[in-house]
Every structure is written in structure tokens, then in C-alpha cells.
Amino acid sequence: MIKVIKPGVQLSIQDLGRTGYRHLGVSKTGSLDPYAQVIANRLINNNDNDAVLEITVGLCELMFLCSTEIALHGADLQANIDGKPIYPGWSYKVRANQTICFNTGRAGLRAYLAVKGGIKTPVIMDSRATDLNASFGGLNGKALSAGDILPIDEYINNNFKQTGALAPPKRQIIRVYASPHTHILGNVIADVFINTRFKVSYNSNRMGVKLENAVNSLTHTHSLPSIGVSPGSIQLPPNGDPIVLLNDAQTTGGYPLLGTVIEADLHQFAQFRPGDLVKFEYVTIEDAAKAKHKLSGHLEQLKIALKNNR
């Protein structure tokens, strides 16, 4: 078991999310940085979809009530076990009654803590992910609170061997493919969009990252019937501040779309902090597929390296 001593800003149980239920209005949810989750799980020989803890900003404290192995990935939130620093990208052995504390960091926003065997909360709609808006999944459908007890299996390995892995490289420019609404918005707005450096707003969350620009040159008066949207869709409200939808976003929307962030780049929005700058470029569907293949290759190389190291 794990006992939550301090939950910090938003501590939640996540996995790779729910798929196949959007036609019922059910959001994907799940880890906003799935690659961090997958790498953390692989470092301790878990299944990729084993439930992890998503730690936002940090400032939380957890006590392990049994021995296990853990791995961290994502943002460096200056974690420590009983005062000894630990770092993202590495696995660690934890003994019963040890405490892990997260402070906060200057780069990145979310860290992912994987535990050997995963967190054993109930499976709802094929997932253990917490849907914070619909209040189901995870532990009672909510962000974790002080005193919560998280079910995990005890694991003792007398031959523990620490493993580590690098994160996929970050990009300075986020790639998107074209919107079905380009003909409505016009080429002028599309050109302004890709030539503007946006600032991440403080009014951002797991539903979406709101972007601001000082010129505010993307205002419009278009109103459209609602259409299906998904994580990565870039909505453009009339006020001209784009919103990049993330995992907890609604399943339909009536704002015109500027485009869709390619799958290989979407995970970066999990780590953008308020005030960070974001720029975009349009690419083709073929470019998006190549980028996805390259990222999958990074994970496959990791799998081979870890197998040879065990």
C-alpha cells in the first residue's frame, strides 16, 4: 500500500486512458505524457498500461507501507526518498515505511511515478484512469487527498539492478496537420497562426492548454455546428486565443479548428508551464506518420536495451 501524506496540487491515478467510448461522450483521460508513463513502467518491467501516479507541479509526499520498486519519468520535481535525491529516468528500490517527497522544478510540469505491478484500483471501461470531470476511475473518481491509501502489491527483489532511460528529444516547434476548417478561417488566419509565438496561459489544465498572444490577431465571428473533437484538436474561440485540447477535454465542440497536433508531439503539452512559449508549423499526414514511427522506434530501442540489461 501507499499512503498519501500530502497530495500537492493535483495528484491522480492514470494509465493510457479509455478508448472506444467517445461516441458515448466519455473522454479519453489517462496520462498527459504517455511516453513518460511507458518509459517509467518499462524501467521496472511493468506492462506499458499499468496505472501510475501523475504528479502535477510537485509538493506532494507519499509513504510506502510495503517494499517495492519504483521508477520516475517526466519533469524533474526534485524528488527524494527519506532525504536522498532521486531523478527522473531511473528505477529505485523502496523499503516499507520509506517516504518519497516531491518539491517542484523550473522546467516541466508533470512527473510520473510507476510502481512494480502498477496501482491496483478497479478497472472501469477498460481503464484505471481518473476522469476528474465525470468523477469515476482512479480512487473514487477524484484527485488524491491526504490520508488516501493506494493498493499496490508488495515486491521484494534481492537482486535489484538499477536501470535508466533518456526521454525522447523535445522539439522547439510543435507540428500540426491541417484543419478541415481552413477554408472557413482563410489563409490569413492560418499564416498568422504559424507565424505567432504563443504564451501558455495560467488558465490551462488537463482539459486543454490555452494560448495567448499579445497582438490578438486571430479574432473571428465564425460559429459552427458541433463536431467531434479529440486530444490534439486546436480550437479557435472568437477571442482569438487558441486552445489545444488534451485528454480530459469534451468529445464535441463548435469552435473552428486551426489544426490537430500530431500524436508524436502532443505529449509535450503535458510539460508546458504557464508562461512557456509555443510555436507551430503545418506538416502533412505522411510527416505525422514518420514522426510517430520515429518515436515508436525510440521506445523499441529502449525495450531491447532493457531486455539485454536484465
PDB file of all heavy atoms in Angstrom, residues 33 56 75 107-110 170-174 198-201 204-205 209-211 244 246 261 265-280:
ATOM      1  N   ASP A  33       1.297  12.690 -20.500  1.00  0.00           N
ATOM      2  CA  ASP A  33       2.582  12.379 -21.136  1.00  0.00           C
ATOM      3  C   ASP A  33       2.714  10.855 -21.166  1.00  0.00           C
ATOM      4  O   ASP A  33       3.374  10.256 -20.314  1.00  0.00           O
ATOM      5  CB  ASP A  33       3.736  13.004 -20.354  1.00  0.00           C
ATOM      6  CG  ASP A  33       5.055  12.939 -21.117  1.00  0.00           C
ATOM      7  OD1 ASP A  33       5.175  12.100 -22.040  1.00  0.00           O
ATOM      8  OD2 ASP A  33       5.978  13.706 -20.777  1.00  0.00           O
ATOM      9  N   THR A  56       1.481  16.616 -10.566  1.00  0.00           N
ATOM     10  CA  THR A  56       1.490  17.924 -11.216  1.00  0.00           C
ATOM     11  C   THR A  56       2.120  18.961 -10.295  1.00  0.00           C
ATOM     12  O   THR A  56       1.707  19.096  -9.148  1.00  0.00           O
ATOM     13  CB  THR A  56       0.053  18.351 -11.583  1.00  0.00           C
ATOM     14  OG1 THR A  56      -0.543  17.338 -12.400  1.00  0.00           O
ATOM     15  CG2 THR A  56       0.056  19.666 -12.348  1.00  0.00           C
ATOM     16  N   ALA A  75       8.925  15.348 -15.720  1.00  0.00           N
ATOM     17  CA  ALA A  75       9.596  16.532 -15.182  1.00  0.00           C
ATOM     18  C   ALA A  75      10.424  16.186 -13.946  1.00  0.00           C
ATOM     19  O   ALA A  75      10.070  15.286 -13.181  1.00  0.00           O
ATOM     20  CB  ALA A  75       8.566  17.597 -14.823  1.00  0.00           C
ATOM     21  N   ALA A 107      11.538  23.455 -14.855  1.00  0.00           N
ATOM     22  CA  ALA A 107      11.241  23.030 -16.223  1.00  0.00           C
ATOM     23  C   ALA A 107      10.354  21.795 -16.165  1.00  0.00           C
ATOM     24  O   ALA A 107      10.600  20.884 -15.384  1.00  0.00           O
ATOM     25  CB  ALA A 107      12.534  22.729 -16.975  1.00  0.00           C
ATOM     26  N   GLY A 108       9.333  21.774 -16.986  1.00  0.00           N
ATOM     27  CA  GLY A 108       8.399  20.657 -16.958  1.00  0.00           C
ATOM     28  C   GLY A 108       7.387  20.816 -15.848  1.00  0.00           C
ATOM     29  O   GLY A 108       7.613  21.519 -14.859  1.00  0.00           O
ATOM     30  N   LEU A 109       6.253  20.142 -16.009  1.00  0.00           N
ATOM     31  CA  LEU A 109       5.138  20.342 -15.082  1.00  0.00           C
ATOM     32  C   LEU A 109       4.682  19.054 -14.404  1.00  0.00           C
ATOM     33  O   LEU A 109       4.197  19.095 -13.277  1.00  0.00           O
ATOM     34  CB  LEU A 109       3.959  20.958 -15.843  1.00  0.00           C
ATOM     35  CG  LEU A 109       2.779  21.464 -15.033  1.00  0.00           C
ATOM     36  CD1 LEU A 109       3.209  22.628 -14.138  1.00  0.00           C
ATOM     37  CD2 LEU A 109       1.651  21.907 -15.962  1.00  0.00           C
ATOM     38  N   ARG A 110       4.857  17.913 -15.091  1.00  0.00           N
ATOM     39  CA  ARG A 110       4.303  16.658 -14.567  1.00  0.00           C
ATOM     40  C   ARG A 110       5.355  15.555 -14.533  1.00  0.00           C
ATOM     41  O   ARG A 110       6.086  15.346 -15.499  1.00  0.00           O
ATOM     42  CB  ARG A 110       3.101  16.218 -15.408  1.00  0.00           C
ATOM     43  CG  ARG A 110       1.910  17.154 -15.289  1.00  0.00           C
ATOM     44  CD  ARG A 110       0.761  16.731 -16.193  1.00  0.00           C
ATOM     45  NE  ARG A 110      -0.418  17.570 -15.956  1.00  0.00           N
ATOM     46  CZ  ARG A 110      -0.662  18.708 -16.612  1.00  0.00           C
ATOM     47  NH1 ARG A 110       0.186  19.162 -17.528  1.00  0.00           N
ATOM     48  NH2 ARG A 110      -1.763  19.416 -16.340  1.00  0.00           N
ATOM     49  N   LYS A 170      12.991  16.843 -27.074  1.00  0.00           N
ATOM     50  CA  LYS A 170      11.929  17.836 -27.182  1.00  0.00           C
ATOM     51  C   LYS A 170      12.109  18.645 -28.459  1.00  0.00           C
ATOM     52  O   LYS A 170      13.213  18.819 -28.954  1.00  0.00           O
ATOM     53  CB  LYS A 170      11.947  18.758 -25.961  1.00  0.00           C
ATOM     54  CG  LYS A 170      11.612  18.065 -24.662  1.00  0.00           C
ATOM     55  CD  LYS A 170      11.615  19.041 -23.506  1.00  0.00           C
ATOM     56  CE  LYS A 170      11.265  18.350 -22.195  1.00  0.00           C
ATOM     57  NZ  LYS A 170      11.288  19.279 -21.054  1.00  0.00           N
ATOM     58  N   ARG A 171      11.016  19.155 -28.967  1.00  0.00           N
ATOM     59  CA  ARG A 171      11.034  19.990 -30.166  1.00  0.00           C
ATOM     60  C   ARG A 171      10.705  21.432 -29.793  1.00  0.00           C
ATOM     61  O   ARG A 171       9.911  21.690 -28.893  1.00  0.00           O
ATOM     62  CB  ARG A 171      10.014  19.490 -31.184  1.00  0.00           C
ATOM     63  CG  ARG A 171      10.433  18.212 -31.898  1.00  0.00           C
ATOM     64  CD  ARG A 171       9.380  17.842 -32.941  1.00  0.00           C
ATOM     65  NE  ARG A 171       9.114  18.939 -33.862  1.00  0.00           N
ATOM     66  CZ  ARG A 171       9.830  19.209 -34.944  1.00  0.00           C
ATOM     67  NH1 ARG A 171      10.866  18.453 -35.261  1.00  0.00           N
ATOM     68  NH2 ARG A 171       9.507  20.220 -35.734  1.00  0.00           N
ATOM     69  N   GLN A 172      11.324  22.351 -30.501  1.00  0.00           N
ATOM     70  CA  GLN A 172      11.063  23.764 -30.277  1.00  0.00           C
ATOM     71  C   GLN A 172       9.791  24.220 -30.994  1.00  0.00           C
ATOM     72  O   GLN A 172       9.132  25.159 -30.579  1.00  0.00           O
ATOM     73  CB  GLN A 172      12.254  24.605 -30.752  1.00  0.00           C
ATOM     74  CG  GLN A 172      13.553  24.307 -30.020  1.00  0.00           C
ATOM     75  CD  GLN A 172      13.440  24.567 -28.529  1.00  0.00           C
ATOM     76  OE1 GLN A 172      12.918  25.599 -28.103  1.00  0.00           O
ATOM     77  NE2 GLN A 172      13.930  23.626 -27.724  1.00  0.00           N
ATOM     78  N   ILE A 173       9.464  23.529 -32.094  1.00  0.00           N
ATOM     79  CA  ILE A 173       8.279  23.883 -32.878  1.00  0.00           C
ATOM     80  C   ILE A 173       7.353  22.675 -32.924  1.00  0.00           C
ATOM     81  O   ILE A 173       7.762  21.570 -33.286  1.00  0.00           O
ATOM     82  CB  ILE A 173       8.664  24.323 -34.305  1.00  0.00           C
ATOM     83  CG1 ILE A 173       9.582  25.559 -34.256  1.00  0.00           C
ATOM     84  CG2 ILE A 173       7.410  24.628 -35.121  1.00  0.00           C
ATOM     85  CD1 ILE A 173      10.040  26.043 -35.608  1.00  0.00           C
ATOM     86  N   ILE A 174       6.101  22.877 -32.540  1.00  0.00           N
ATOM     87  CA  ILE A 174       5.114  21.806 -32.495  1.00  0.00           C
ATOM     88  C   ILE A 174       4.489  21.627 -33.881  1.00  0.00           C
ATOM     89  O   ILE A 174       4.055  22.589 -34.513  1.00  0.00           O
ATOM     90  CB  ILE A 174       4.011  22.124 -31.471  1.00  0.00           C
ATOM     91  CG1 ILE A 174       4.621  22.292 -30.065  1.00  0.00           C
ATOM     92  CG2 ILE A 174       2.953  21.033 -31.477  1.00  0.00           C
ATOM     93  CD1 ILE A 174       5.309  21.065 -29.529  1.00  0.00           C
ATOM     94  N   PHE A 198       3.193  31.833 -29.248  1.00  0.00           N
ATOM     95  CA  PHE A 198       2.161  31.944 -28.222  1.00  0.00           C
ATOM     96  C   PHE A 198       2.737  31.697 -26.832  1.00  0.00           C
ATOM     97  O   PHE A 198       3.733  30.993 -26.663  1.00  0.00           O
ATOM     98  CB  PHE A 198       1.039  30.936 -28.480  1.00  0.00           C
ATOM     99  CG  PHE A 198       0.283  31.167 -29.755  1.00  0.00           C
ATOM    100  CD1 PHE A 198       0.660  30.526 -30.926  1.00  0.00           C
ATOM    101  CD2 PHE A 198      -0.796  32.030 -29.792  1.00  0.00           C
ATOM    102  CE1 PHE A 198      -0.031  30.733 -32.108  1.00  0.00           C
ATOM    103  CE2 PHE A 198      -1.496  32.251 -30.972  1.00  0.00           C
ATOM    104  CZ  PHE A 198      -1.115  31.601 -32.134  1.00  0.00           C
ATOM    105  N   LYS A 199       2.052  32.266 -25.842  1.00  0.00           N
ATOM    106  CA  LYS A 199       2.424  32.052 -24.448  1.00  0.00           C
ATOM    107  C   LYS A 199       1.366  31.169 -23.785  1.00  0.00           C
ATOM    108  O   LYS A 199       0.166  31.386 -23.958  1.00  0.00           O
ATOM    109  CB  LYS A 199       2.528  33.390 -23.710  1.00  0.00           C
ATOM    110  CG  LYS A 199       2.924  33.263 -22.236  1.00  0.00           C
ATOM    111  CD  LYS A 199       2.967  34.623 -21.555  1.00  0.00           C
ATOM    112  CE  LYS A 199       4.125  35.457 -22.075  1.00  0.00           C
ATOM    113  NZ  LYS A 199       4.274  36.725 -21.293  1.00  0.00           N
ATOM    114  N   VAL A 200       1.833  30.181 -23.035  1.00  0.00           N
ATOM    115  CA  VAL A 200       0.919  29.295 -22.322  1.00  0.00           C
ATOM    116  C   VAL A 200       0.243  30.070 -21.195  1.00  0.00           C
ATOM    117  O   VAL A 200       0.907  30.700 -20.370  1.00  0.00           O
ATOM    118  CB  VAL A 200       1.660  28.068 -21.761  1.00  0.00           C
ATOM    119  CG1 VAL A 200       0.735  27.216 -20.884  1.00  0.00           C
ATOM    120  CG2 VAL A 200       2.228  27.229 -22.902  1.00  0.00           C
ATOM    121  N   SER A 201      -1.080  30.011 -21.165  1.00  0.00           N
ATOM    122  CA  SER A 201      -1.860  30.749 -20.167  1.00  0.00           C
ATOM    123  C   SER A 201      -1.894  30.009 -18.837  1.00  0.00           C
ATOM    124  O   SER A 201      -1.807  28.777 -18.779  1.00  0.00           O
ATOM    125  CB  SER A 201      -3.284  30.940 -20.683  1.00  0.00           C
ATOM    126  OG  SER A 201      -4.146  31.398 -19.657  1.00  0.00           O
ATOM    127  N   SER A 204      -4.903  27.021 -17.866  1.00  0.00           N
ATOM    128  CA  SER A 204      -4.745  25.754 -18.576  1.00  0.00           C
ATOM    129  C   SER A 204      -4.871  24.615 -17.575  1.00  0.00           C
ATOM    130  O   SER A 204      -4.585  24.777 -16.388  1.00  0.00           O
ATOM    131  CB  SER A 204      -3.375  25.689 -19.274  1.00  0.00           C
ATOM    132  OG  SER A 204      -3.213  26.729 -20.214  1.00  0.00           O
ATOM    133  N   ASN A 205      -5.296  23.453 -18.064  1.00  0.00           N
ATOM    134  CA  ASN A 205      -5.463  22.299 -17.174  1.00  0.00           C
ATOM    135  C   ASN A 205      -5.444  21.021 -17.999  1.00  0.00           C
ATOM    136  O   ASN A 205      -5.035  21.038 -19.168  1.00  0.00           O
ATOM    137  CB  ASN A 205      -6.765  22.425 -16.367  1.00  0.00           C
ATOM    138  CG  ASN A 205      -7.973  22.705 -17.248  1.00  0.00           C
ATOM    139  OD1 ASN A 205      -8.076  22.187 -18.356  1.00  0.00           O
ATOM    140  ND2 ASN A 205      -8.886  23.531 -16.756  1.00  0.00           N
ATOM    141  N   VAL A 209      -4.746  23.262 -23.044  1.00  0.00           N
ATOM    142  CA  VAL A 209      -3.769  24.326 -22.838  1.00  0.00           C
ATOM    143  C   VAL A 209      -4.231  25.545 -23.630  1.00  0.00           C
ATOM    144  O   VAL A 209      -4.340  25.494 -24.864  1.00  0.00           O
ATOM    145  CB  VAL A 209      -2.362  23.894 -23.283  1.00  0.00           C
ATOM    146  CG1 VAL A 209      -1.398  25.080 -23.272  1.00  0.00           C
ATOM    147  CG2 VAL A 209      -1.842  22.786 -22.373  1.00  0.00           C
ATOM    148  N   LYS A 210      -4.512  26.618 -22.906  1.00  0.00           N
ATOM    149  CA  LYS A 210      -4.932  27.857 -23.552  1.00  0.00           C
ATOM    150  C   LYS A 210      -3.700  28.678 -23.896  1.00  0.00           C
ATOM    151  O   LYS A 210      -2.776  28.802 -23.093  1.00  0.00           O
ATOM    152  CB  LYS A 210      -5.854  28.660 -22.626  1.00  0.00           C
ATOM    153  CG  LYS A 210      -6.405  29.930 -23.256  1.00  0.00           C
ATOM    154  CD  LYS A 210      -7.356  30.653 -22.306  1.00  0.00           C
ATOM    155  CE  LYS A 210      -7.904  31.920 -22.935  1.00  0.00           C
ATOM    156  NZ  LYS A 210      -8.797  32.663 -22.022  1.00  0.00           N
ATOM    157  N   LEU A 211      -3.694  29.242 -25.115  1.00  0.00           N
ATOM    158  CA  LEU A 211      -2.552  30.003 -25.610  1.00  0.00           C
ATOM    159  C   LEU A 211      -2.942  31.460 -25.809  1.00  0.00           C
ATOM    160  O   LEU A 211      -4.052  31.761 -26.248  1.00  0.00           O
ATOM    161  CB  LEU A 211      -2.051  29.411 -26.930  1.00  0.00           C
ATOM    162  CG  LEU A 211      -1.681  27.918 -26.884  1.00  0.00           C
ATOM    163  CD1 LEU A 211      -1.360  27.408 -28.279  1.00  0.00           C
ATOM    164  CD2 LEU A 211      -0.504  27.686 -25.947  1.00  0.00           C
ATOM    165  N   VAL A 244      -5.455  24.130 -27.147  1.00  0.00           N
ATOM    166  CA  VAL A 244      -5.042  22.788 -27.554  1.00  0.00           C
ATOM    167  C   VAL A 244      -5.718  21.799 -26.604  1.00  0.00           C
ATOM    168  O   VAL A 244      -5.413  21.765 -25.413  1.00  0.00           O
ATOM    169  CB  VAL A 244      -3.514  22.626 -27.502  1.00  0.00           C
ATOM    170  CG1 VAL A 244      -3.111  21.212 -27.920  1.00  0.00           C
ATOM    171  CG2 VAL A 244      -2.838  23.652 -28.403  1.00  0.00           C
ATOM    172  N   LEU A 246      -6.648  18.544 -24.570  1.00  0.00           N
ATOM    173  CA  LEU A 246      -5.889  17.439 -24.003  1.00  0.00           C
ATOM    174  C   LEU A 246      -6.839  16.310 -23.587  1.00  0.00           C
ATOM    175  O   LEU A 246      -8.012  16.321 -23.928  1.00  0.00           O
ATOM    176  CB  LEU A 246      -5.045  17.936 -22.826  1.00  0.00           C
ATOM    177  CG  LEU A 246      -4.016  19.033 -23.163  1.00  0.00           C
ATOM    178  CD1 LEU A 246      -3.208  19.411 -21.921  1.00  0.00           C
ATOM    179  CD2 LEU A 246      -3.086  18.602 -24.287  1.00  0.00           C
ATOM    180  N   VAL A 261      -2.621  18.774 -33.426  1.00  0.00           N
ATOM    181  CA  VAL A 261      -1.239  18.457 -33.062  1.00  0.00           C
ATOM    182  C   VAL A 261      -0.980  16.989 -33.372  1.00  0.00           C
ATOM    183  O   VAL A 261      -1.781  16.116 -33.030  1.00  0.00           O
ATOM    184  CB  VAL A 261      -0.990  18.733 -31.564  1.00  0.00           C
ATOM    185  CG1 VAL A 261       0.433  18.338 -31.174  1.00  0.00           C
ATOM    186  CG2 VAL A 261      -1.243  20.200 -31.244  1.00  0.00           C
ATOM    187  N   ASP A 265       3.933  14.750 -31.051  1.00  0.00           N
ATOM    188  CA  ASP A 265       4.274  15.992 -30.356  1.00  0.00           C
ATOM    189  C   ASP A 265       3.309  16.338 -29.227  1.00  0.00           C
ATOM    190  O   ASP A 265       3.622  17.177 -28.376  1.00  0.00           O
ATOM    191  CB  ASP A 265       4.297  17.171 -31.340  1.00  0.00           C
ATOM    192  CG  ASP A 265       5.495  17.130 -32.277  1.00  0.00           C
ATOM    193  OD1 ASP A 265       6.313  16.201 -32.152  1.00  0.00           O
ATOM    194  OD2 ASP A 265       5.595  18.020 -33.145  1.00  0.00           O
ATOM    195  N   LEU A 266       2.149  15.697 -29.199  1.00  0.00           N
ATOM    196  CA  LEU A 266       1.113  16.110 -28.239  1.00  0.00           C
ATOM    197  C   LEU A 266       1.569  15.962 -26.791  1.00  0.00           C
ATOM    198  O   LEU A 266       1.200  16.771 -25.930  1.00  0.00           O
ATOM    199  CB  LEU A 266      -0.166  15.304 -28.477  1.00  0.00           C
ATOM    200  CG  LEU A 266      -1.375  15.686 -27.612  1.00  0.00           C
ATOM    201  CD1 LEU A 266      -1.744  17.156 -27.801  1.00  0.00           C
ATOM    202  CD2 LEU A 266      -2.563  14.789 -27.934  1.00  0.00           C
ATOM    203  N   HIS A 267       2.380  14.954 -26.499  1.00  0.00           N
ATOM    204  CA  HIS A 267       2.818  14.722 -25.114  1.00  0.00           C
ATOM    205  C   HIS A 267       3.579  15.901 -24.531  1.00  0.00           C
ATOM    206  O   HIS A 267       3.639  16.063 -23.309  1.00  0.00           O
ATOM    207  CB  HIS A 267       3.685  13.448 -25.040  1.00  0.00           C
ATOM    208  CG  HIS A 267       4.996  13.562 -25.739  1.00  0.00           C
ATOM    209  ND1 HIS A 267       6.180  13.753 -25.058  1.00  0.00           N
ATOM    210  CD2 HIS A 267       5.330  13.524 -27.054  1.00  0.00           C
ATOM    211  CE1 HIS A 267       7.175  13.818 -25.918  1.00  0.00           C
ATOM    212  NE2 HIS A 267       6.694  13.687 -27.131  1.00  0.00           N
ATOM    213  N   GLN A 268       4.154  16.743 -25.390  1.00  0.00           N
ATOM    214  CA  GLN A 268       4.911  17.880 -24.879  1.00  0.00           C
ATOM    215  C   GLN A 268       4.031  18.881 -24.138  1.00  0.00           C
ATOM    216  O   GLN A 268       4.514  19.620 -23.269  1.00  0.00           O
ATOM    217  CB  GLN A 268       5.674  18.565 -26.021  1.00  0.00           C
ATOM    218  CG  GLN A 268       6.720  17.670 -26.635  1.00  0.00           C
ATOM    219  CD  GLN A 268       7.687  18.397 -27.560  1.00  0.00           C
ATOM    220  OE1 GLN A 268       8.484  17.785 -28.228  1.00  0.00           O
ATOM    221  NE2 GLN A 268       7.640  19.715 -27.599  1.00  0.00           N
ATOM    222  N   PHE A 269       2.731  18.902 -24.450  1.00  0.00           N
ATOM    223  CA  PHE A 269       1.840  19.836 -23.775  1.00  0.00           C
ATOM    224  C   PHE A 269       1.621  19.454 -22.314  1.00  0.00           C
ATOM    225  O   PHE A 269       1.169  20.278 -21.519  1.00  0.00           O
ATOM    226  CB  PHE A 269       0.514  19.940 -24.529  1.00  0.00           C
ATOM    227  CG  PHE A 269       0.609  20.779 -25.767  1.00  0.00           C
ATOM    228  CD1 PHE A 269       1.011  20.217 -26.964  1.00  0.00           C
ATOM    229  CD2 PHE A 269       0.353  22.135 -25.725  1.00  0.00           C
ATOM    230  CE1 PHE A 269       1.139  20.989 -28.111  1.00  0.00           C
ATOM    231  CE2 PHE A 269       0.480  22.923 -26.854  1.00  0.00           C
ATOM    232  CZ  PHE A 269       0.874  22.350 -28.060  1.00  0.00           C
ATOM    233  N   ALA A 270       1.937  18.225 -21.956  1.00  0.00           N
ATOM    234  CA  ALA A 270       1.858  17.827 -20.545  1.00  0.00           C
ATOM    235  C   ALA A 270       2.892  18.566 -19.711  1.00  0.00           C
ATOM    236  O   ALA A 270       2.718  18.723 -18.495  1.00  0.00           O
ATOM    237  CB  ALA A 270       2.085  16.316 -20.415  1.00  0.00           C
ATOM    238  N   GLN A 271       3.969  19.022 -20.350  1.00  0.00           N
ATOM    239  CA  GLN A 271       5.088  19.600 -19.615  1.00  0.00           C
ATOM    240  C   GLN A 271       5.199  21.110 -19.755  1.00  0.00           C
ATOM    241  O   GLN A 271       6.055  21.723 -19.114  1.00  0.00           O
ATOM    242  CB  GLN A 271       6.403  18.938 -20.075  1.00  0.00           C
ATOM    243  CG  GLN A 271       6.413  17.419 -19.934  1.00  0.00           C
ATOM    244  CD  GLN A 271       6.236  16.955 -18.495  1.00  0.00           C
ATOM    245  OE1 GLN A 271       6.235  17.747 -17.550  1.00  0.00           O
ATOM    246  NE2 GLN A 271       6.081  15.662 -18.313  1.00  0.00           N
ATOM    247  N   PHE A 272       4.365  21.727 -20.576  1.00  0.00           N
ATOM    248  CA  PHE A 272       4.421  23.186 -20.708  1.00  0.00           C
ATOM    249  C   PHE A 272       3.893  23.849 -19.437  1.00  0.00           C
ATOM    250  O   PHE A 272       2.816  23.522 -18.944  1.00  0.00           O
ATOM    251  CB  PHE A 272       3.597  23.663 -21.905  1.00  0.00           C
ATOM    252  CG  PHE A 272       4.228  23.370 -23.238  1.00  0.00           C
ATOM    253  CD1 PHE A 272       3.470  22.929 -24.304  1.00  0.00           C
ATOM    254  CD2 PHE A 272       5.594  23.537 -23.424  1.00  0.00           C
ATOM    255  CE1 PHE A 272       4.043  22.666 -25.541  1.00  0.00           C
ATOM    256  CE2 PHE A 272       6.189  23.284 -24.642  1.00  0.00           C
ATOM    257  CZ  PHE A 272       5.411  22.842 -25.709  1.00  0.00           C
ATOM    258  N   ARG A 273       4.655  24.799 -18.945  1.00  0.00           N
ATOM    259  CA  ARG A 273       4.261  25.552 -17.755  1.00  0.00           C
ATOM    260  C   ARG A 273       3.701  26.910 -18.173  1.00  0.00           C
ATOM    261  O   ARG A 273       4.022  27.415 -19.262  1.00  0.00           O
ATOM    262  CB  ARG A 273       5.474  25.762 -16.837  1.00  0.00           C
ATOM    263  CG  ARG A 273       6.097  24.465 -16.345  1.00  0.00           C
ATOM    264  CD  ARG A 273       7.441  24.718 -15.681  1.00  0.00           C
ATOM    265  NE  ARG A 273       7.291  25.463 -14.450  1.00  0.00           N
ATOM    266  CZ  ARG A 273       7.183  24.915 -13.248  1.00  0.00           C
ATOM    267  NH1 ARG A 273       7.212  23.600 -13.109  1.00  0.00           N
ATOM    268  NH2 ARG A 273       7.047  25.650 -12.175  1.00  0.00           N
ATOM    269  N   PRO A 274       2.867  27.529 -17.339  1.00  0.00           N
ATOM    270  CA  PRO A 274       2.383  28.877 -17.661  1.00  0.00           C
ATOM    271  C   PRO A 274       3.549  29.812 -17.949  1.00  0.00           C
ATOM    272  O   PRO A 274       4.536  29.847 -17.217  1.00  0.00           O
ATOM    273  CB  PRO A 274       1.638  29.292 -16.390  1.00  0.00           C
ATOM    274  CG  PRO A 274       1.176  27.999 -15.799  1.00  0.00           C
ATOM    275  CD  PRO A 274       2.279  27.018 -16.088  1.00  0.00           C
ATOM    276  N   GLY A 275       3.431  30.548 -19.048  1.00  0.00           N
ATOM    277  CA  GLY A 275       4.497  31.467 -19.455  1.00  0.00           C
ATOM    278  C   GLY A 275       5.424  30.896 -20.493  1.00  0.00           C
ATOM    279  O   GLY A 275       6.159  31.654 -21.158  1.00  0.00           O
ATOM    280  N   ASP A 276       5.451  29.578 -20.667  1.00  0.00           N
ATOM    281  CA  ASP A 276       6.278  28.971 -21.712  1.00  0.00           C
ATOM    282  C   ASP A 276       5.789  29.430 -23.082  1.00  0.00           C
ATOM    283  O   ASP A 276       4.605  29.719 -23.279  1.00  0.00           O
ATOM    284  CB  ASP A 276       6.231  27.441 -21.645  1.00  0.00           C
ATOM    285  CG  ASP A 276       7.055  26.879 -20.501  1.00  0.00           C
ATOM    286  OD1 ASP A 276       7.807  27.655 -19.875  1.00  0.00           O
ATOM    287  OD2 ASP A 276       6.943  25.660 -20.234  1.00  0.00           O
ATOM    288  N   LEU A 277       6.710  29.470 -24.048  1.00  0.00           N
ATOM    289  CA  LEU A 277       6.377  29.902 -25.406  1.00  0.00           C
ATOM    290  C   LEU A 277       6.212  28.695 -26.322  1.00  0.00           C
ATOM    291  O   LEU A 277       6.968  27.720 -26.227  1.00  0.00           O
ATOM    292  CB  LEU A 277       7.458  30.836 -25.943  1.00  0.00           C
ATOM    293  CG  LEU A 277       7.654  32.142 -25.155  1.00  0.00           C
ATOM    294  CD1 LEU A 277       8.790  32.956 -25.753  1.00  0.00           C
ATOM    295  CD2 LEU A 277       6.361  32.958 -25.122  1.00  0.00           C
ATOM    296  N   VAL A 278       5.228  28.773 -27.225  1.00  0.00           N
ATOM    297  CA  VAL A 278       4.926  27.677 -28.143  1.00  0.00           C
ATOM    298  C   VAL A 278       4.772  28.227 -29.552  1.00  0.00           C
ATOM    299  O   VAL A 278       4.113  29.249 -29.759  1.00  0.00           O
ATOM    300  CB  VAL A 278       3.618  26.953 -27.743  1.00  0.00           C
ATOM    301  CG1 VAL A 278       3.375  25.750 -28.643  1.00  0.00           C
ATOM    302  CG2 VAL A 278       3.649  26.532 -26.288  1.00  0.00           C
ATOM    303  N   LYS A 279       5.389  27.537 -30.516  1.00  0.00           N
ATOM    304  CA  LYS A 279       5.239  27.906 -31.926  1.00  0.00           C
ATOM    305  C   LYS A 279       4.865  26.654 -32.713  1.00  0.00           C
ATOM    306  O   LYS A 279       5.209  25.538 -32.326  1.00  0.00           O
ATOM    307  CB  LYS A 279       6.534  28.518 -32.467  1.00  0.00           C
ATOM    308  CG  LYS A 279       6.369  29.304 -33.760  1.00  0.00           C
ATOM    309  CD  LYS A 279       7.632  30.080 -34.100  1.00  0.00           C
ATOM    310  CE  LYS A 279       7.394  31.005 -35.307  1.00  0.00           C
ATOM    311  NZ  LYS A 279       6.988  30.275 -36.520  1.00  0.00           N
ATOM    312  N   PHE A 280       4.159  26.846 -33.834  1.00  0.00           N
ATOM    313  CA  PHE A 280       3.630  25.721 -34.594  1.00  0.00           C
ATOM    314  C   PHE A 280       4.108  25.767 -36.040  1.00  0.00           C
ATOM    315  O   PHE A 280       4.507  26.811 -36.552  1.00  0.00           O
ATOM    316  CB  PHE A 280       2.096  25.745 -34.589  1.00  0.00           C
ATOM    317  CG  PHE A 280       1.484  25.624 -33.228  1.00  0.00           C
ATOM    318  CD1 PHE A 280       1.210  26.755 -32.459  1.00  0.00           C
ATOM    319  CD2 PHE A 280       1.177  24.382 -32.697  1.00  0.00           C
ATOM    320  CE1 PHE A 280       0.633  26.649 -31.202  1.00  0.00           C
ATOM    321  CE2 PHE A 280       0.593  24.254 -31.438  1.00  0.00           C
ATOM    322  CZ  PHE A 280       0.329  25.392 -30.695  1.00  0.00           C
TER     323      PHE A 280
END
